[in-house]
Amino acid sequence: MCETTQAVFTLNYPRIQIPFEITLWVLLASFAKIGFHVYHKITVWVPESCLLISIGLIVGGIMHSLHEKPPAVLTSNAFFLYMLPPIVLDSGYFMPTRPFFENFGTVLWFAVVGTLWNSIGIGISLFAICQIEVFGVQDITLQENFLFASIISAVEPVAVLTVFEDISVHEQLYIVVFGECLFNDAVTVVLYNLFNHVAALEVVEAGDVFLDIGRFFVVGLGGTIFGALFGFVTAFTTRFTGKVREIEPLIIFLYSYLAYLIAELFAISSIMAIVICALTMKYYVEENVSQRSCTTIRHVIKMVGSVSETLIFFFLGVVTITTEHEWNWGYILFALLFALLWRGLGILVLTQIINPFRTIPFNFKDQFGLAYGGLRGAVSFALAFTLPDNIGRKDLFITGTIVVIIFTVFIQGITIRPLLKLMNVRKTNRNQETINDEIHKRLMEHTVAGIEDLCGQWSHYYWKDKFMKFNNRILRKILIRDNHPESSIVALYKKLELQNAMEVLDQMSGDISAAPSLISLHEERKNASKSRKKFLSSDVTNMHELLSKNMYKIRHRTVSYTNKHTLPDDITAREILMRRHTSLRRSLRAGSFHGTNAAKMSQKYFSLPMGRSLNSRFPPRRLVHADGDIESEINYSSIRHPQRVSSKAVMPLRPLNTLKEVASSVNTVDGQNEEQRGCRRSHLGSNVSRSGHLTSHLPHGSSRNCSDGDHDAWVEEPQNNSDVQHPLMRRPHWLPQKPHDK
Amino acid sequence: KKLNISHSQITRLYSRFHSLDKGENGALSREDFQRIPELAINPLGDRIINAFFPEGEDQVNFRGFMRTLAHFRPVEDNEKNKDLTSGEPLNSRTNKLHFAFQLYDLDRDDKISRDELLQVLRMMVGVNISDEQLGSIADRTIQEADTNGDMCISFSEFTKVLEKVDVEQKMSIRFLH
């Protein structure tokens, strides 16, 4: 008889051990992240990487005292195959394309040449140090020095980007820093592999060196081409996924990962491959997939990338405590020194060389930001940890890397903000600035930003145009499915339009009866504003505060890519777009009521079809209008009022007309509304009225015919802010492909 | 031509003009401007576009385009002392201020009324400011600037109130020289 007793409760830990531990670690890292944001001021002053490392240190301490070993997560395979791809995909996918391409030369220059400069410089200086007997590190060969140097020259400027944002550094700088980070990951890995390979060789011949250099380029370019290829294949595939929306995100991920893996197979730069893949496919894919898939893709990429990076920093902390270190004062301190020195020098020299070629040269402050902001990060650590064991001084290298990382992340990361702020000290004291100053200055800043965008900063129009033509004629046809997906902005507008229509319907009766009182209200207002208000100084400070907090910053879109750890949001862009509608709408109604009452009516910010522009175009064929004198012009313009049309808005216009009749003596033409319905795209125009005859000084709306010609190019809905930067590629979509089939 | 923009810049801007001109008829219409996505989410996008089009027209040719852009040329030092009898260059401080002024003053009556100010303010400010707050900000603005009591800001008042601001630097674009 067998004596098997079946216990009631069993614990089978070994079975679940691995997934369980992984889950626990990830959960722990996530808690850490949640924890930081509880007191959000922390993240302002201390970069997230710092915090993560600290928590890692604490956990490491705990583990060490319990004599536990950290999980062997950071093996070469685990890192390169599982942890690195998400990080890189994250960077690549959320890269703002247009500024990136505009600064392509600069980015490459800093990334490639800069990293090379750093590695070689540090390598050689360290080798020189090794020769000094005092430090006792003579056994480190030149190749090994280069290897170490390449590891510690990979920068990760995430922390500095957030600081830049607050200080409103010029947008160019963000892009360069962002792009540099991305590409120098690729360069570093390539160099690392190169030097690794070289270090293993006993004898290095000149031929080998040249071969290696050639290899470097092959690897880089190969990765790029490969990535582009995969990008196009993905885009093509998504063309056919119309019926199987659920797997769309999966396809994106699979293809990207595949690109990475196959590039690894051929030993070409997998990082470049996956980045370029993400860049190329993003544009087409976001047009093909449904809105939900799009959101899913973005969320998942952000999530996985974020987790991966978090884990790496976390482990950095843990490992710092738990591994055996080999410490060598001279070597390590000098390594640190050289790392900083060479970076600073490198930036200086490189900027000098490239400044003449840039439309907007980097000034000293920019350079300082670039140099000081070179924090080392995850990639360095992982590379050090995965050094092959045949390197004699592996532990020394690991220690050195950890020291450099911790120093840069903590010291530089925390001090960069105050330093940059110091350098940017405003000359005028805030309190002495008048409200006028603040408002008009901001106006000017927006204007200049707008004009700059208008001029476009890209000088290579020839290539851009060629590419655009090619894109439009061939690529888009192949890669994009025909029906246009509904973007979030379109959906939003539809919803708001509906709301608006219903709301005005509700107000209809109320308004008519209230008509007379509106006028009297207006009179009241007029009188009120006549009396000079007294403003206390506290009022004024309040105003300053209000303004500084609420006025839109210039090119708010930079927020989207400066914060690596959050998803880009387009709330501001939406607000601005909606607002433009509102102010126009308001001005339209206002035109009929001497200006001020509209504010009461449209408290909520409804949208109108995006036609709104202060457009003075008169489509003569629409309205019969012979004479050009002022009288008729006024008639003209006020007639136009009702004609801002979205077919939905036509309804609300009716009551307005009657009200207008009360307010002014102009006969409005209802019939004109009918005409507009056929129009797919009507625009709001406004006509600057010769104000002589009209009491209102506000612009009037005038509609314009839609030109059926090119209705594909319109204002782009910013699906996410990075999309708005698209224009390299993207021909803006216009929202109301929606309604107008009425 | 008092534009004084260098030849290479003109070529560059011409190619930009050309690439914006989708209809290829040698002139830009408002749609062409509105197609620029960054302008779409610029709070003052409409007004900026409007500034390119002279009264009542809706096409702007290259000359007009350049003329407007010329306002944003940086002011070179040696120009500051230039003899003004030859007429002020377009990028003089006064003209830059005038450009900004006209962004507010849509009806071109040379006065910024409270409503015009409110409109622009509303465009520049987020959703969190209520109308009353905005109204008092506008009132305060007018109060600070208005010297003749007409509750509007005239161009000379505008100029005066901004006399401490470095308009030449703020309203300049680095690469337009």
Side-chain angles (χ1 to χ4, degrees):
Chain A
M1 196 170 81
C2 309
E3 293 249 40
T4 45
T5 43
Q6 193 77 345
V8 180
F9 291 112
T10 49
L11 274 178
N12 188 358
Y13 188 63
R15 179 157 177 258
I16 61 159
Q17 179 174 11
I18 296 180
F20 185 70
E21 287 187 352
I22 294 177
T23 313
L24 269 189
W25 280 106
V26 177
L27 206 56
L28 195 57
S30 312
F31 284 151
K33 269 192 113 139
I34 297 177
F36 305 148
H37 293 276
V38 167
Y39 181 51
H40 74 96
K41 281 256 170 156
I42 290 189
T43 45
V44 167
W45 289 102
V46 182
E48 218 168 295
S49 16
C50 281
L51 296 169
L52 285 171
I53 297 183
S54 330
I55 305 272
L57 285 172
I58 297 175
V59 174
I62 299 177
M63 288 188 73
H64 187 69
S65 52
L66 297 177
H67 297 287
E68 284 263 340
K69 292 221 71 153
V73 183
L74 286 182
T75 59
S76 172
N77 264 358
F79 175 69
F80 280 106
L81 293 183
Y82 299 116
M83 301 194 81
L84 187 59
I87 299 180
V88 188
L89 182 61
D90 176 13
S91 312
Y93 197 81
F94 288 103
M95 167 97 76
T97 337
R98 182 160 177 264
F100 172 68
F101 278 107
E102 282 183 1
N103 286 291
F104 193 62
T106 317
V107 166
L108 271 190
W109 177 252
F110 277 112
V112 177
V113 179
T115 315
L116 275 174
W117 168 283
N118 277 338
S119 313
I120 295 180
I122 299 176
I124 295 184
S125 3
L126 277 179
F127 185 61
I129 294 292
C130 287
Q131 304 312 320
I132 303 178
E133 290 173 15
V134 178
F135 300 120
V137 281
Q138 275 158 314
D139 53 320
I140 305 184
T141 64
L142 183 63
Q143 298 98 301
E144 290 177 348
N145 271 310
F146 276 136
L147 190 57
F148 180 57
S150 71
I151 294 176
I152 61 172
S153 54
V155 292
E156 194 190 277
V158 172
V160 81
L161 282 176
T162 34
V163 177
F164 278 178
E165 156 67 16
D166 277 347
I167 310 189
S168 12
V169 170
H170 205 278
E171 190 192 34
Q172 302 277 324
L173 203 58
Y174 296 119
I175 300 302
V176 173
V177 168
F178 200 84
E180 189 204 345
C181 161
L182 191 68
F183 282 107
N184 82 17
D185 278 350
V187 175
T188 307
V189 171
V190 170
L191 275 182
Y192 174 84
N193 286 325
L194 210 69
F195 286 133
N196 219 352
H197 172 240
V198 165
L201 298 176
E202 288 303 321
V203 180
V204 180
E205 299 163 16
D208 283 340
V209 175
F210 281 118
L211 217 59
D212 283 332
I213 295 179
R215 215 183 125 57
F216 177 74
F217 284 109
V218 165
V219 161
L221 281 176
T224 315
I225 298 176
F226 211 69
L229 214 68
F230 262 93
F232 287 129
V233 172
T234 320
F236 189 63
T237 315
T238 51
R239 188 178 169 186
F240 302 108
T241 55
K243 305 287 183 199
V244 279
R245 298 279 188 194
E246 311 81 43
I247 63 168
E248 274 172 343
L250 194 60
I251 294 193
I252 311 296
F253 302 138
L254 290 178
Y255 269 114
S256 319
Y257 196 41
L258 206 60
Y260 186 83
L261 292 175
I262 298 190
E264 279 281 320
L265 172 66
F266 290 122
I268 53 181
S269 169
S270 41
I271 296 185
M272 288 296 293
I274 200 173
V275 166
I276 303 290
C277 180
L279 275 181
T280 40
M281 76 173 166
K282 177 174 174 187
Y283 167 61
Y284 300 106
V285 158
E286 292 207 332
E287 291 202 28
N288 274 337
V289 303
S290 71
Q291 186 56 27
R292 290 212 190 120
S293 301
C294 204
T295 315
T296 312
I297 294 175
R298 282 193 230 143
H299 264 99
V300 173
I301 290 184
K302 235 343 148 175
M303 178 184 80
V304 182
S306 197
V307 162
S308 202
E309 188 154 2
T310 309
L311 274 180
I312 293 184
F313 275 118
F314 198 65
F315 277 121
L316 180 67
V318 172
V319 159
T320 311
I321 308 277
T322 54
T323 50
E324 304 274 325
H325 289 293
E326 183 185 334
W327 184 262
N328 182 307
W329 278 104
Y331 194 74
I332 291 183
L333 287 181
F334 271 106
L336 188 60
L337 181 69
F338 287 134
L340 298 176
L341 196 68
W342 282 99
R343 176 153 179 94
L345 266 180
I347 299 287
L348 215 62
V349 170
L350 292 180
T351 327
Q352 290 310 314
I353 300 182
I354 203 170
N355 260 343
F357 297 103
R358 290 179 53 79
T359 41
I360 299 182
F362 284 138
N363 59 20
F364 179 66
K365 276 192 281 189
D366 298 335
Q367 294 172 40
F368 178 75
L370 267 177
Y372 200 71
L375 312 183
R376 273 62 177 179
V379 175
S380 302
F381 173 59
L383 286 178
F385 219 69
T386 59
L387 278 170
D389 285 324
N390 59 3
I391 308 276
R393 294 287 199 145
K394 178 176 172 183
D395 292 330
L396 178 62
F397 288 158
I398 293 181
T399 314
T401 312
I402 292 181
V403 167
V404 172
I405 294 179
I406 292 191
F407 181 85
T408 52
V409 168
F410 279 92
I411 311 281
Q412 282 181 240
I414 298 183
T415 55
I416 190 166
R417 174 182 288 263
L419 273 178
L420 278 182
K421 275 220 162 115
L422 206 68
M423 294 181 79
N424 262 314
V425 157
R426 296 225 184 134
K427 288 183 200 142
T428 53
N429 186 0
R430 239 300 149 71
N431 290 332
Q432 290 168 3
E433 227 178 39
T434 61
I435 299 275
N436 267 284
D437 278 346
E438 217 172 318
I439 296 178
H440 300 316
K441 270 198 202 157
R442 188 55 63 91
L443 176 107
M444 291 190 224
E445 286 168 6
H446 277 300
T447 310
V448 168
I451 299 277
E452 276 183 357
D453 290 329
L454 205 143
C455 290
Q457 290 157 10
W458 214 25
S459 44
H460 308 293
Y461 288 124
Y462 178 63
W463 290 111
K464 178 188 174 186
D465 280 343
K466 277 208 133 189
F467 180 75
M468 290 294 282
K469 288 208 179 96
F470 173 64
N471 185 34
N472 290 331
R473 224 179 300 133
I474 302 181
L475 288 179
R476 283 180 66 99
K477 294 228 168 64
I478 303 179
L479 299 174
I480 298 187
R481 212 181 312 129
D482 262 337
N483 53 331
H484 300 282
E486 223 179 66
S487 79
S488 55
I489 293 279
V490 175
L492 178 70
Y493 278 131
K494 274 195 190 175
K495 205 168 54 153
L496 291 178
E497 272 298 321
L498 219 46
Q499 250 180 309
N500 181 30
M502 297 209 290
E503 199 128 342
V504 179
L505 269 179
D506 285 336
Q507 286 177 2
M508 239 169 76
S509 41
D511 277 340
I512 295 178
S513 55
S517 55
L518 284 168
I519 301 183
S520 54
L521 260 168
H522 168 71
E523 296 297 339
E524 230 185 75
R525 276 244 197 159
K526 237 176 165 180
N527 293 332
S529 59
K530 281 225 172 103
S531 59
R532 277 217 153 201
K533 287 201 213 170
K534 285 286 182 182
F535 288 104
L536 308 167
S537 62
S538 57
D539 286 339
V540 180
T541 18
N542 280 343
M543 285 184 197
H544 273 297
E545 249 188 65
L546 268 181
L547 283 177
S548 63
K549 267 195 225 135
N550 284 298
M551 284 208 284
Y552 290 126
K553 298 212 178 98
I554 313 300
R555 291 200 189 107
H556 219 249
R557 65 184 188 247
T558 54
V559 177
S560 69
Y561 46 77
T562 51
N563 201 342
K564 200 171 179 199
H565 298 279
T566 55
L567 278 165
D569 82 276
D570 50 354
I571 294 183
T572 322
R574 267 195 234 170
E575 263 181 32
I576 295 181
L577 287 171
M578 286 199 285
R579 190 164 296 290
R580 287 172 76 186
H581 281 234
T582 319
S583 48
L584 274 158
R585 185 164 244 202
R586 208 187 273 153
S587 68
L588 281 185
R589 293 183 186 172
S592 46
F593 309 136
H594 312 268
T596 49
N597 299 311
K600 291 181 190 238
M601 273 226 266
S602 48
Q603 274 299 337
K604 295 163 199 133
Y605 304 105
F606 297 134
S607 68
L608 277 175
M610 296 272 265
R612 32 61 277 183
S613 70
L614 306 177
N615 190 346
S616 63
R617 183 159 143 194
F618 309 159
R621 29 204 167 111
R622 287 278 163 172
L623 292 172
V624 180
H625 170 77
D627 34 333
D629 67 346
I630 295 186
E631 262 311 297
S632 44
E633 201 163 319
I634 292 171
N635 281 344
Y636 210 2
S637 40
S638 44
I639 280 175
R640 272 88 172 352
H641 265 268
Q643 273 149 21
R644 60 165 166 67
V645 178
S646 92
S647 43
K648 290 187 187 156
V650 168
M651 221 176 4
L653 289 174
R654 297 283 167 69
L656 276 180
N657 293 343
T658 47
L659 285 170
K660 261 182 41 154
E661 276 163 352
V662 173
S664 72
S665 55
V666 177
N667 290 326
T668 58
V669 184
D670 276 347
Q672 302 299 338
N673 296 338
E674 264 36 81
E675 281 185 282
Q676 300 302 335
R677 292 189 195 213
C679 187
R680 269 174 83 175
R681 244 179 38 175
S682 34
H683 303 285
L684 279 179
S686 77
N687 172 26
V688 173
S689 67
R690 313 293 144 117
S691 57
H693 292 250
L694 274 186
T695 46
S696 149
H697 291 269
L698 292 173
H700 300 286
S702 64
S703 68
R704 196 151 49 85
N705 300 336
C706 50
S707 37
D708 284 315
D710 55 350
H711 52 80
D712 47 336
W714 198 238
V715 170
E716 172 167 318
E717 349 97 348
Q719 275 182 341
N720 58 12
N721 276 335
S722 62
D723 272 356
V724 180
Q725 274 62 274
H726 255 152
L728 162 66
M729 318 266 198
R730 192 170 181 153
R731 209 102 171 288
H733 258 173
W734 193 30
L735 346 148
Q737 257 118 14
K738 59 176 183 157
H740 308 256
D741 4 68
K742 308 215 177 154
Chain B
K1 274 206 332 172
K2 291 192 206 109
L3 293 180
N4 283 334
I5 300 186
S6 76
H7 185 69
S8 59
Q9 284 299 332
I10 295 184
T11 329
R12 220 179 125 267
L13 289 170
Y14 185 72
S15 56
R16 174 67 170 167
F17 180 85
H18 194 64
S19 71
L20 286 175
D21 180 16
K22 299 288 187 252
E24 306 213 352
N25 54 354
L28 294 177
S29 65
R30 285 172 207 263
E31 283 101 37
D32 291 323
F33 283 105
Q34 280 154 348
R35 244 178 251 129
I36 305 171
E38 287 82 5
L39 274 188
I41 59 165
N42 187 311
L44 302 173
D46 290 329
R47 300 289 172 110
I48 297 175
I49 295 176
N50 201 43
F52 278 86
F53 293 88
E55 293 290 312
E57 290 178 25
D58 25 88
Q59 296 275 319
V60 57
N61 59 13
F62 185 61
R63 196 169 200 292
F65 184 71
M66 292 294 291
R67 223 187 119 76
T68 315
L69 287 181
H71 284 96
F72 291 91
R73 257 187 72 226
V75 180
E76 314 289 332
D77 276 320
N78 53 1
E79 282 178 357
K80 279 191 188 151
N81 307 322
K82 202 162 144 185
D83 164 48
L84 287 178
T85 56
S86 56
E88 265 186 49
L90 280 169
N91 65 337
S92 69
R93 185 191 164 93
T94 318
N95 280 324
K96 285 184 199 278
L97 279 170
H98 195 68
F99 192 90
F101 187 79
Q102 289 195 314
L103 289 176
Y104 286 103
D105 181 24
L106 274 181
D107 54 6
R108 303 274 195 266
D109 62 349
D110 274 337
K111 286 201 287 247
I112 303 178
S113 68
R114 183 176 186 271
D115 294 314
E116 288 171 338
L117 187 60
L118 261 180
Q119 269 195 321
V120 174
L121 268 179
R122 186 39 91 183
M123 287 199 269
M124 292 207 288
V125 137
V127 286
N128 294 323
I129 298 197
S130 72
D131 282 342
E132 296 86 51
Q133 288 170 314
L134 213 58
S136 34
I137 292 180
D139 288 327
R140 170 75 188 176
T141 313
I142 295 186
Q143 210 185 63
E144 280 173 0
D146 194 14
T147 50
N148 62 357
D150 60 352
M151 304 305 281
C152 285
I153 308 181
S154 70
F155 183 58
S156 48
E157 288 163 355
F158 188 73
T159 317
K160 179 137 201 327
V161 89
L162 287 178
E163 61 189 358
K164 292 206 201 83
V165 173
D166 186 3
V167 175
E168 289 93 334
Q169 193 262 332
K170 274 203 128 28
M171 292 277 279
S172 295
I173 297 186
R174 280 200 256 185
F175 50 82
L176 274 184
H177 55 85

